[in-house]
Amino acid sequence: MNLSIPAKNKLIFALDVPNRKEAESYVRLLGNTVGCFKVGLELFVKEGPDVLKVVKQNSSASIFLDLKLHDIPATVGSALRSAATHGVRFITVHGSDGGSALKTATEVKGLGLEVLAVTVLTSVSESQLGGLGYKEGLSLRQLVLDRANIAKESGCAGVVCAGEEVSLIKKECSNDFKAVVPGIRPAWAEIEKDDQSRIVTPKEAILNGADLIVVGRPIRDAKDPGEAASKIVEEIELALTA
Ligand code: C5P
């Protein structure tokens, strides 16, 4: 199957697997179908930075190191400089500290590492905000938008946000400020005990202006993960030409 490169480059597969062996089999299977592999906490904590070689040795896809750093600015800055030595393209920092840690993004500018701020996790719903201590009446959309603005001012390359928030963020922060969208659920996907809350289809995310989408379980747990990834790339392609 001939998959379009612009569409393929918008798909990030989340390597949410427990070990290097499983990671390698997904990278080999999907290396020509997705543009980027996301290495998250589960795999990185188990295998360490060496696991990044699995992606580099078996595909030409880029790497998104999703560590969601959340610490004092000095520590986050040091972690970003360490990450820059691993040859990864994206890294995530939590965007909830008002910007002081996010400003360390400027320290790795020019080193090829793009810092993305996590606005509000896509597993969090509007009804949970009150219980998390946020003032009554604050909408989740406004919280995401405020954090996106801070991330932009702090020198981040973009944000991780839900699909329904992309167009507003692009309008406020500029079109070249990247919006990376997890919480993707193709219409055909059936996820057991799903923990995602703010979900959209690949088509909806792209039509809203997402630069990249992150897909994990809909591909990982599909009967045929290769076919599932190709179907998503085709859906992206259709949305791009719509
Ligand atoms: O399996 P699923 O498609 O829900 O995977 C989504 C991936 O995106 C997970 O690896 C998760 O850690 C990540 N993520 C997220 N929400 C964010 C940031 C990252 O779901 N705000």
PDB file of all heavy atoms in Angstrom, residues 220-236:
ATOM      1  N   ARG A 220      -2.090  -0.691  18.944  1.00  0.00           N
ATOM      2  CA  ARG A 220      -1.405  -1.763  19.692  1.00  0.00           C
ATOM      3  C   ARG A 220      -2.307  -2.967  19.921  1.00  0.00           C
ATOM      4  O   ARG A 220      -1.889  -4.111  19.774  1.00  0.00           O
ATOM      5  CB  ARG A 220      -0.938  -1.217  21.054  1.00  0.00           C
ATOM      6  CG  ARG A 220      -0.093  -2.203  21.847  1.00  0.00           C
ATOM      7  CD  ARG A 220       0.015  -1.811  23.300  1.00  0.00           C
ATOM      8  NE  ARG A 220      -1.266  -1.964  23.996  1.00  0.00           N
ATOM      9  CZ  ARG A 220      -1.499  -1.575  25.246  1.00  0.00           C
ATOM     10  NH1 ARG A 220      -0.543  -0.987  25.935  1.00  0.00           N
ATOM     11  NH2 ARG A 220      -2.692  -1.755  25.808  1.00  0.00           N
ATOM     12  N   ASP A 221      -3.566  -2.718  20.264  1.00  0.00           N
ATOM     13  CA  ASP A 221      -4.464  -3.813  20.627  1.00  0.00           C
ATOM     14  C   ASP A 221      -5.344  -4.293  19.470  1.00  0.00           C
ATOM     15  O   ASP A 221      -6.228  -5.132  19.673  1.00  0.00           O
ATOM     16  CB  ASP A 221      -5.365  -3.388  21.809  1.00  0.00           C
ATOM     17  CG  ASP A 221      -4.534  -3.064  23.049  1.00  0.00           C
ATOM     18  OD1 ASP A 221      -3.345  -3.435  23.077  1.00  0.00           O
ATOM     19  OD2 ASP A 221      -5.079  -2.432  23.976  1.00  0.00           O
ATOM     20  N   ALA A 222      -5.114  -3.759  18.270  1.00  0.00           N
ATOM     21  CA  ALA A 222      -5.921  -4.201  17.116  1.00  0.00           C
ATOM     22  C   ALA A 222      -5.519  -5.618  16.738  1.00  0.00           C
ATOM     23  O   ALA A 222      -4.394  -6.042  16.991  1.00  0.00           O
ATOM     24  CB  ALA A 222      -5.681  -3.254  15.931  1.00  0.00           C
ATOM     25  N   LYS A 223      -6.448  -6.338  16.089  1.00  0.00           N
ATOM     26  CA  LYS A 223      -6.122  -7.712  15.639  1.00  0.00           C
ATOM     27  C   LYS A 223      -4.937  -7.673  14.695  1.00  0.00           C
ATOM     28  O   LYS A 223      -4.069  -8.522  14.729  1.00  0.00           O
ATOM     29  CB  LYS A 223      -7.338  -8.301  14.912  1.00  0.00           C
ATOM     30  CG  LYS A 223      -8.312  -8.964  15.846  1.00  0.00           C
ATOM     31  CD  LYS A 223      -9.288  -9.879  15.076  1.00  0.00           C
ATOM     32  CE  LYS A 223     -10.464 -10.226  15.954  1.00  0.00           C
ATOM     33  NZ  LYS A 223     -11.585  -9.293  15.837  1.00  0.00           N
ATOM     34  N   ASP A 224      -4.927  -6.634  13.827  1.00  0.00           N
ATOM     35  CA  ASP A 224      -3.822  -6.466  12.887  1.00  0.00           C
ATOM     36  C   ASP A 224      -3.290  -5.033  13.046  1.00  0.00           C
ATOM     37  O   ASP A 224      -3.794  -4.099  12.402  1.00  0.00           O
ATOM     38  CB  ASP A 224      -4.353  -6.714  11.457  1.00  0.00           C
ATOM     39  CG  ASP A 224      -3.253  -6.623  10.422  1.00  0.00           C
ATOM     40  OD1 ASP A 224      -2.206  -6.002  10.706  1.00  0.00           O
ATOM     41  OD2 ASP A 224      -3.444  -7.176   9.325  1.00  0.00           O
ATOM     42  N   PRO A 225      -2.279  -4.825  13.894  1.00  0.00           N
ATOM     43  CA  PRO A 225      -1.804  -3.459  14.162  1.00  0.00           C
ATOM     44  C   PRO A 225      -1.293  -2.731  12.910  1.00  0.00           C
ATOM     45  O   PRO A 225      -1.494  -1.521  12.773  1.00  0.00           O
ATOM     46  CB  PRO A 225      -0.661  -3.673  15.165  1.00  0.00           C
ATOM     47  CG  PRO A 225      -0.980  -4.977  15.825  1.00  0.00           C
ATOM     48  CD  PRO A 225      -1.618  -5.815  14.755  1.00  0.00           C
ATOM     49  N   GLY A 226      -0.690  -3.486  11.995  1.00  0.00           N
ATOM     50  CA  GLY A 226      -0.194  -2.856  10.764  1.00  0.00           C
ATOM     51  C   GLY A 226      -1.349  -2.287   9.953  1.00  0.00           C
ATOM     52  O   GLY A 226      -1.296  -1.152   9.451  1.00  0.00           O
ATOM     53  N   GLU A 227      -2.423  -3.080   9.842  1.00  0.00           N
ATOM     54  CA  GLU A 227      -3.599  -2.639   9.080  1.00  0.00           C
ATOM     55  C   GLU A 227      -4.267  -1.442   9.783  1.00  0.00           C
ATOM     56  O   GLU A 227      -4.693  -0.481   9.135  1.00  0.00           O
ATOM     57  CB  GLU A 227      -4.583  -3.803   8.957  1.00  0.00           C
ATOM     58  CG  GLU A 227      -5.741  -3.482   8.061  1.00  0.00           C
ATOM     59  CD  GLU A 227      -6.863  -4.501   8.186  1.00  0.00           C
ATOM     60  OE1 GLU A 227      -7.108  -5.024   9.296  1.00  0.00           O
ATOM     61  OE2 GLU A 227      -7.490  -4.752   7.163  1.00  0.00           O
ATOM     62  N   ALA A 228      -4.331  -1.505  11.114  1.00  0.00           N
ATOM     63  CA  ALA A 228      -4.959  -0.410  11.870  1.00  0.00           C
ATOM     64  C   ALA A 228      -4.189   0.900  11.643  1.00  0.00           C
ATOM     65  O   ALA A 228      -4.793   1.954  11.418  1.00  0.00           O
ATOM     66  CB  ALA A 228      -4.984  -0.758  13.365  1.00  0.00           C
ATOM     67  N   ALA A 229      -2.852   0.824  11.680  1.00  0.00           N
ATOM     68  CA  ALA A 229      -2.050   2.030  11.465  1.00  0.00           C
ATOM     69  C   ALA A 229      -2.260   2.571  10.054  1.00  0.00           C
ATOM     70  O   ALA A 229      -2.416   3.782   9.854  1.00  0.00           O
ATOM     71  CB  ALA A 229      -0.568   1.727  11.722  1.00  0.00           C
ATOM     72  N   SER A 230      -2.304   1.671   9.064  1.00  0.00           N
ATOM     73  CA  SER A 230      -2.520   2.115   7.674  1.00  0.00           C
ATOM     74  C   SER A 230      -3.882   2.777   7.523  1.00  0.00           C
ATOM     75  O   SER A 230      -4.028   3.787   6.825  1.00  0.00           O
ATOM     76  CB  SER A 230      -2.443   0.928   6.713  1.00  0.00           C
ATOM     77  OG  SER A 230      -1.167   0.384   6.734  1.00  0.00           O
ATOM     78  N   LYS A 231      -4.891   2.213   8.194  1.00  0.00           N
ATOM     79  CA  LYS A 231      -6.241   2.793   8.112  1.00  0.00           C
ATOM     80  C   LYS A 231      -6.238   4.214   8.670  1.00  0.00           C
ATOM     81  O   LYS A 231      -6.903   5.118   8.167  1.00  0.00           O
ATOM     82  CB  LYS A 231      -7.227   1.929   8.904  1.00  0.00           C
ATOM     83  CG  LYS A 231      -8.022   0.996   7.996  1.00  0.00           C
ATOM     84  CD  LYS A 231      -8.696  -0.145   8.678  1.00  0.00           C
ATOM     85  CE  LYS A 231      -9.747   0.160   9.693  1.00  0.00           C
ATOM     86  NZ  LYS A 231     -10.292  -1.084  10.297  1.00  0.00           N
ATOM     87  N   ILE A 232      -5.483   4.413   9.754  1.00  0.00           N
ATOM     88  CA  ILE A 232      -5.424   5.754  10.359  1.00  0.00           C
ATOM     89  C   ILE A 232      -4.695   6.727   9.430  1.00  0.00           C
ATOM     90  O   ILE A 232      -5.124   7.867   9.252  1.00  0.00           O
ATOM     91  CB  ILE A 232      -4.772   5.686  11.761  1.00  0.00           C
ATOM     92  CG1 ILE A 232      -5.687   4.895  12.699  1.00  0.00           C
ATOM     93  CG2 ILE A 232      -4.500   7.091  12.309  1.00  0.00           C
ATOM     94  CD1 ILE A 232      -5.117   4.613  14.070  1.00  0.00           C
ATOM     95  N   VAL A 233      -3.612   6.258   8.800  1.00  0.00           N
ATOM     96  CA  VAL A 233      -2.897   7.135   7.857  1.00  0.00           C
ATOM     97  C   VAL A 233      -3.829   7.518   6.696  1.00  0.00           C
ATOM     98  O   VAL A 233      -3.861   8.679   6.267  1.00  0.00           O
ATOM     99  CB  VAL A 233      -1.598   6.471   7.329  1.00  0.00           C
ATOM    100  CG1 VAL A 233      -0.937   7.353   6.274  1.00  0.00           C
ATOM    101  CG2 VAL A 233      -0.629   6.219   8.472  1.00  0.00           C
ATOM    102  N   GLU A 234      -4.611   6.560   6.226  1.00  0.00           N
ATOM    103  CA  GLU A 234      -5.556   6.859   5.138  1.00  0.00           C
ATOM    104  C   GLU A 234      -6.592   7.883   5.591  1.00  0.00           C
ATOM    105  O   GLU A 234      -6.974   8.788   4.841  1.00  0.00           O
ATOM    106  CB  GLU A 234      -6.268   5.587   4.679  1.00  0.00           C
ATOM    107  CG  GLU A 234      -5.407   4.738   3.775  1.00  0.00           C
ATOM    108  CD  GLU A 234      -6.005   3.354   3.560  1.00  0.00           C
ATOM    109  OE1 GLU A 234      -7.229   3.191   3.685  1.00  0.00           O
ATOM    110  OE2 GLU A 234      -5.218   2.437   3.296  1.00  0.00           O
ATOM    111  N   GLU A 235      -7.053   7.751   6.834  1.00  0.00           N
ATOM    112  CA  GLU A 235      -8.043   8.710   7.358  1.00  0.00           C
ATOM    113  C   GLU A 235      -7.412  10.111   7.461  1.00  0.00           C
ATOM    114  O   GLU A 235      -8.059  11.113   7.164  1.00  0.00           O
ATOM    115  CB  GLU A 235      -8.542   8.228   8.740  1.00  0.00           C
ATOM    116  CG  GLU A 235      -9.698   9.040   9.256  1.00  0.00           C
ATOM    117  CD  GLU A 235     -10.327   8.475  10.535  1.00  0.00           C
ATOM    118  OE1 GLU A 235     -10.290   7.253  10.759  1.00  0.00           O
ATOM    119  OE2 GLU A 235     -10.867   9.296  11.312  1.00  0.00           O
ATOM    120  N   ILE A 236      -6.145  10.162   7.873  1.00  0.00           N
ATOM    121  CA  ILE A 236      -5.435  11.457   7.945  1.00  0.00           C
ATOM    122  C   ILE A 236      -5.343  12.053   6.540  1.00  0.00           C
ATOM    123  O   ILE A 236      -5.618  13.234   6.324  1.00  0.00           O
ATOM    124  CB  ILE A 236      -4.016  11.269   8.544  1.00  0.00           C
ATOM    125  CG1 ILE A 236      -4.082  10.810  10.002  1.00  0.00           C
ATOM    126  CG2 ILE A 236      -3.204  12.564   8.427  1.00  0.00           C
ATOM    127  CD1 ILE A 236      -2.731  10.421  10.614  1.00  0.00           C
TER     128      ILE A 236
END
